[in-house]
Amino acid sequence: MRRNMPNLADIARLAGVSTATVDRVLHRRSGVRQTTVQRVLHAAGELRYLPEPELEAVRAMPPTQVLFVLPGRSSKFLRMLGEWVQCSQTQWAPYHVNCRVQFIQGFDPQALASTLLRRGRECHGVAFMPLEHPSVREAVGVLADAGVATVTLVSDLSHSRRIAYVGLDNGSAGRTAAYLIARFVGPERAAKVALIAGSLSYKAHVEREAGFLQLFAEQYPHMQVVGLREGYDDEAVNYRQARALLEQHPDLAAIYNIGGGAQGIGQALKATGKQHKVVFIGHGLTPDTRALLIDGSMDAVITQSPQSAIMNCVRIFANLREKRELTAGVEANRSQVIFRENLP
């Protein structure tokens, strides 16, 4: 009688897969495409290999768990990005992905590496904004060895084992900022321009600076860059940095804010009465930069869609699970230049 009972080989033949694949599916182990999982479960149901309650339990495969690790206070744009992840869980349902957010102290590579190692092992994948540091690179390698995939977000991580980068071409973004400043100031005018970065520990900020300086060297060599300062995306620090620059260079023509903390620079411009005299270009459309655009303190914001960035991360992890090409369905991250007159 038992010889008439279906076995793994019967299911494998009906589903067109190996017995090893059938075993992985029925024991709910990872590494099998969802389409194959459904085919195996359909065969198991047709052969009545499992009682219906057990079959339903197997069908209820847990979703892919993705953790987003982001700076919690330094950048309002990144905070908005994390909050959007938290309030949009229903959008991930078709991808069978569950997303969570862990906010951490910004500009602390040890805290970032520790969080990756501690929380990353609880997930199938991690998306995070990295700092260029050996401890962070090592943490990514340890997670890769443990089978946890990582995706870098907004800024990339050099020589690492991350599986993908989601974000802008930051060199191009820097060149765009340089072009805008030159056109606003006047391309023939020999003017002084200052740069304020969040931190040069972010590869994105280094690349934006390099793109900016490259375009000036190529097309506007008469423009004088009077220095690069770090403000750590902190409004109070950026206020002090901007005030110092304005006092040191009364004829300063423009400021390029490479990172966050735009409100501090806007306050410095207003405090010195130069909010409509000094060209101010920055990144990330937030309530603060929107207000600065509206009152004329800021001239343009280079931004990207936080929704598209998160969706691209979700698609990449879903593609990884289904063993598809990682970039299948992933849209290129496009920068937008926002002025007061085209505010969305």
Side-chain angles (χ1 to χ4, degrees):
M1 185 73 177
R2 291 185 60 82
R3 281 179 293 181
N4 294 327
M5 294 179 64
N7 56 32
L8 294 187
D10 297 324
I11 298 172
R13 277 193 296 272
L14 184 58
V17 299
S18 68
T19 54
T21 298
V22 173
D23 184 72
R24 293 185 73 84
V25 170
L26 296 183
H27 288 90
R28 288 185 258 186
R29 290 196 291 270
S30 61
V32 184
R33 295 188 185 193
Q34 281 299 307
T35 52
T36 304
V37 169
Q38 295 306 317
R39 200 161 69 243
V40 169
L41 294 178
H42 179 78
E46 188 173 328
L47 293 172
R48 300 184 185 278
Y49 178 79
L50 292 175
E52 192 61 31
E54 287 187 40
L55 194 60
E56 285 303 316
V58 175
R59 284 192 179 118
M61 299 290 283
T64 296
Q65 300 293 330
V66 174
L67 176 69
F68 285 80
V69 179
L70 298 169
R73 296 181 179 177
S74 58
S75 167
K76 284 188 169 63
F77 180 80
L78 294 172
R79 184 80 196 185
M80 283 173 49
L81 191 150
E83 290 171 352
W84 194 82
V85 173
Q86 291 175 318
C87 69
S88 304
Q89 291 295 334
T90 56
Q91 297 199 25
W92 322 135
Y95 298 92
H96 206 49
V97 171
N98 181 47
C99 297
R100 291 174 293 151
V101 179
Q102 174 73 52
F103 289 110
I104 64 169
Q105 179 65 40
F107 309 106
D108 185 341
Q110 300 302 332
L112 175 56
S114 175
T115 300
L116 291 175
L117 292 173
R118 186 179 70 255
R119 298 294 307 278
R121 291 188 177 96
E122 304 169 358
C123 310
H124 299 103
V126 179
F128 72 109
M129 184 173 179
L131 293 161
E132 281 285 350
H133 194 275
S135 61
V136 177
R137 200 170 291 109
E138 179 68 15
V140 170
V142 171
L143 289 179
D145 288 337
V148 180
T150 55
V151 170
T152 52
L153 182 61
V154 179
S155 186
D156 205 357
L157 182 62
S158 303
H159 311 298
S160 68
R161 295 171 63 188
R162 55 82 170 150
I163 63 168
Y165 162 65
V166 173
L168 298 178
D169 177 335
N170 286 295
S172 175
R175 289 175 66 89
T176 300
Y179 178 79
L180 288 169
I181 283 177
R183 298 303 300 178
F184 271 111
V185 169
E188 303 303 323
R189 178 182 166 192
K192 292 181 180 179
V193 180
L195 283 68
I196 298 177
S199 171
L200 297 182
S201 293
Y202 283 140
K203 185 178 181 182
H205 292 193
V206 173
E207 291 173 337
R208 289 173 188 175
E209 178 203 5
F212 187 96
L213 297 177
Q214 183 183 49
L215 188 80
F216 268 19
E218 291 173 1
Q219 299 185 28
Y220 309 105
H222 51 282
M223 293 281 191
Q224 181 185 358
V225 176
V226 295
L228 171 67
R229 302 190 178 206
E230 291 179 298
Y232 301 101
D233 293 344
D234 183 277
E235 291 178 7
V237 176
N238 275 4
Y239 174 82
R240 293 194 296 271
Q241 296 283 34
R243 281 296 298 259
L245 285 165
L246 291 167
E247 290 169 6
Q248 185 178 357
H249 305 282
D251 55 344
L252 189 69
I255 296 175
Y256 172 35
N257 186 38
I258 296 175
Q263 183 67 19
I265 299 172
Q267 289 174 348
L269 291 171
K270 292 172 186 176
T272 55
K274 295 188 176 182
Q275 67 269 36
H276 300 134
K277 299 175 183 176
V278 174
V279 175
F280 179 20
I281 306 292
H283 284 269
L285 186 61
T286 66
D288 286 351
T289 55
R290 175 184 289 272
L292 291 170
L293 285 170
I294 290 172
D295 71 19
S297 302
M298 203 166 189
D299 296 282
V301 171
I302 302 167
T303 194
Q304 59 183 305
S305 165
Q307 295 92 336
S308 295
I310 298 302
M311 184 60 74
N312 280 344
C313 291
V314 168
R315 286 189 174 117
I316 286 169
F317 286 116
N319 289 340
L320 180 67
R321 182 191 62 225
E322 302 294 337
K323 302 187 186 307
R324 291 191 295 258
E325 177 68 32
L326 284 180
T327 56
V330 174
E331 300 177 357
N333 279 65
R334 297 182 176 86
S335 64
Q336 296 175 282
V337 180
I338 305 297
F339 305 98
R340 181 173 62 182
E341 306 308 324
N342 70 341
L343 273 167

